[in-house]
Amino acid sequence: MAARPGGRSERVRASVIDATFAELVERGYLGMSVENVANRAGVHKTTVYRRWGTVEGLVADALDHTRDTPWPVPDTGTLVGDLTAIAYEVVDSFADPVRRTVPVAVVAAALMSSAATRAKNDFYGARTAEAAQVVTRAVERGELPATTDAAEVIRLVCGPLYHRVFITGDPIDHGVADRVVRVVVHAAKAGLV
Amino acid sequence: MAARPGGRSERVRASVIDATFAELVERGYLGMSVENVANRAGVHKTTVYRRWGTVEGLVADALDHTRDTPWPVPDTGTLVGDLTAIAYEVVDSFADPVRRTVPVAVVAAALMSSAATRAKNDFYGARTAEAAQVVTRAVERGELPATTDAAEVIRLVCGPLYHRVFITGDPIDHGVADRVVRVVVHAAKAGLV
C-alpha cells in the first residue's frame, strides 16, 4: 500500500472533520450529535467519542484543523493589490451559496458554545496574522509608516464586510471592497493605523 | 384610572415584548416557546398565539418595536464628536454584560430564522439611517464633500467594532473606537466615501 501522509489516524480525522462541517451546516450546532457525525464519517461512534468526546470537541477540532491549513497569502507587489485580493476573497466566499454556509454556521455555533468561540477566535486570529504579512511587506517597501499596526489594517478592511454579512444584511460586492481598501490605505499612509 | 398611551392593547404588547427579549436572552432562539413568553408576560397564551402566532412572530415584532423607538442621535457640533459618540455607544453597550445579551441573542436568532433576519436587518438599517444624520449635518457645515455616502460613513465606523465582537473576538474599547473614527473621517474628508 502506498504511503499516505499521516496514515489511518489522520484519514479518520479528515473524514470526521468533513462530516463535522457537513452536519454543522445541515443541522446547526444545536441539532448536531456525535453519533450522526460518526455515521456520516463512516467511523465507529466509540472511536469518535473516545477521541473527540462531544459535539463541542468536534467543532473545535474541525476549526483548529482549518486554522492550521496553509492559506495562500496574496503577493501582488502593491499594498492595494494585496488588500484588494484579501477583500475580494471575503466577498467571493460569501457570494457563493455553498462556501458561505461554513462561516455562517461557525459564527452561529460560537454564539452557543464557549469551546466553539475559542476555536473561532483562534481561527480568525491566525488568518488575520497571516494576512498581516501583506502590510509588513508594504512597510518594508516604504509604502506605509514603520509604526503601522499590521493586523489592525487587516481588521479595518475586513470588518465592514463581515458587518454587512452578519449585522446589517447589506449586500457586499467588489465595489464595496474597493472602497474600504481605498479608505484604509489612505488613512494608513497618513500614519493613522 | 389614569389614561395611559396606547391603553390595554399596548400594555399587553409591551409586556410581551419585554418577555420575548428576556426569554430570547435566557433560552436562546431555539429554546423559546410561545407558552413561556406568555407565562412570563402574564398574558393568556391564546392571546399571544392569536396576535403573534409563533416565536418567529414574537422576535420579529420585538425588533420592529425597538426599531420604531426613538434613538437620541448625538449632536456635538463636529463630525468627529458625533461619530465618536456613536462608536462609544457601540463599545459601551458590548462592554456591559447585561446590555450585550440582547444584540448577541438577536444576531444568533437571525442566523436561525428568516423572519428574525428580516427584522434584524430592518432594525440596523433604520439605526444606520438615523445615525447618518450626523454625516448629513457635517456635509451641510462644509466638513465633508457633498458626494459623501452618509450611511456608508456610519457602516465603516461601526463595522470594525461589530467584527471584533462577533467574528475575531478581539476586545473593543474607546481607543479602538477613536482609531476607526480617525481613519474614516480622514478618508471621508478626502472624498473617498
Side-chain angles (χ1 to χ4, degrees):
Chain A
M1 201 178 139
R4 278 193 48 177
R8 186 177 135 69
S9 166
E10 270 311 294
R11 287 197 303 279
V12 166
R13 186 180 180 211
S15 304
V16 169
I17 286 170
D18 286 349
T20 297
F21 280 127
E23 290 284 310
L24 180 61
V25 164
E26 235 176 77
R27 299 178 198 265
Y29 182 74
L30 295 181
M32 286 179 74
S33 71
V34 171
E35 213 158 326
N36 284 334
V37 170
N39 285 342
R40 187 170 201 134
V43 172
H44 201 281
K45 69 179 177 181
T46 55
T47 306
V48 179
Y49 275 114
R50 203 170 50 232
R51 188 155 165 192
W52 285 274
T54 59
V55 164
E56 275 206 310
L58 284 164
V59 170
D61 188 52
L63 275 166
D64 289 348
H65 178 263
T66 310
R67 178 197 66 203
D68 295 338
T69 306
W71 173 73
V73 177
D75 191 4
T76 63
T78 68
L79 176 64
V80 167
D82 288 350
L83 290 178
T84 301
I86 290 166
Y88 282 9
E89 169 63 19
V90 174
V91 169
D92 296 347
S93 68
F94 284 106
D96 182 326
V98 174
R99 287 179 69 198
R100 68 177 283 129
T101 56
V102 173
V104 168
V106 164
V107 170
L111 290 166
M112 290 174 265
S113 146
S114 57
T117 303
R118 194 275 308 149
K120 170 190 69 68
N121 294 352
D122 284 356
F123 170 78
Y124 282 107
R127 283 293 186 263
T128 302
E130 290 169 292
Q133 292 170 39
V134 310
V135 183
T136 309
R137 287 198 305 254
V139 171
E140 286 163 5
R141 284 192 303 260
E143 282 194 80
L144 290 179
T147 52
T148 307
D149 180 336
E152 187 64 4
V153 170
I154 301 302
R155 284 189 291 255
L156 289 171
V157 166
C158 295
L161 304 175
Y162 281 90
H163 177 246
R164 282 174 174 251
V165 171
F166 287 100
I167 309 298
T168 67
D170 290 297
I172 56 174
D173 57 27
H174 288 188
V176 169
D178 289 339
R179 177 165 49 194
V180 70
V181 168
R182 275 199 307 270
V183 164
V184 175
V185 168
H186 184 71
K189 280 181 190 280
L192 298 177
V193 184
Chain B
M1 202 178 139
R4 276 193 50 175
R8 189 178 133 69
S9 166
E10 271 310 295
R11 289 198 301 279
V12 166
R13 187 182 179 209
S15 305
V16 169
I17 287 171
D18 286 350
T20 297
F21 279 130
E23 289 284 311
L24 180 62
V25 164
E26 235 177 77
R27 300 178 199 263
Y29 182 73
L30 295 181
M32 285 177 76
S33 70
V34 171
E35 213 158 326
N36 284 332
V37 170
N39 284 343
R40 189 172 202 131
V43 173
H44 201 281
K45 69 179 178 184
T46 54
T47 306
V48 179
Y49 275 115
R50 204 169 48 232
R51 186 155 165 191
W52 286 274
T54 59
V55 164
E56 276 206 310
L58 284 164
V59 171
D61 188 52
L63 276 166
D64 288 348
H65 178 263
T66 310
R67 177 198 67 202
D68 295 339
T69 306
W71 174 73
V73 177
D75 190 4
T76 65
T78 68
L79 177 64
V80 167
D82 289 350
L83 291 177
T84 301
I86 290 167
Y88 282 9
E89 170 62 19
V90 174
V91 169
D92 296 347
S93 67
F94 285 106
D96 181 327
V98 175
R99 287 179 68 197
R100 68 177 283 129
T101 55
V102 173
V104 168
V106 164
V107 170
L111 289 165
M112 290 174 263
S113 146
S114 56
T117 303
R118 193 274 309 151
K120 171 190 67 68
N121 294 353
D122 283 357
F123 171 78
Y124 281 107
R127 283 292 187 265
T128 302
E130 288 168 293
Q133 293 170 37
V134 310
V135 183
T136 308
R137 286 198 303 254
V139 171
E140 286 162 4
R141 284 191 303 260
E143 282 195 79
L144 290 180
T147 52
T148 307
D149 180 335
E152 186 65 4
V153 170
I154 301 302
R155 283 189 292 254
L156 289 170
V157 166
C158 296
L161 304 175
Y162 281 89
H163 177 246
R164 282 174 174 252
V165 171
F166 287 99
I167 308 298
T168 67
D170 290 298
I172 56 175
D173 57 26
H174 287 188
V176 169
D178 288 339
R179 178 165 49 193
V180 70
V181 168
R182 273 199 307 270
V183 164
V184 174
V185 168
H186 185 71
K189 281 180 190 281
L192 298 176
V193 185

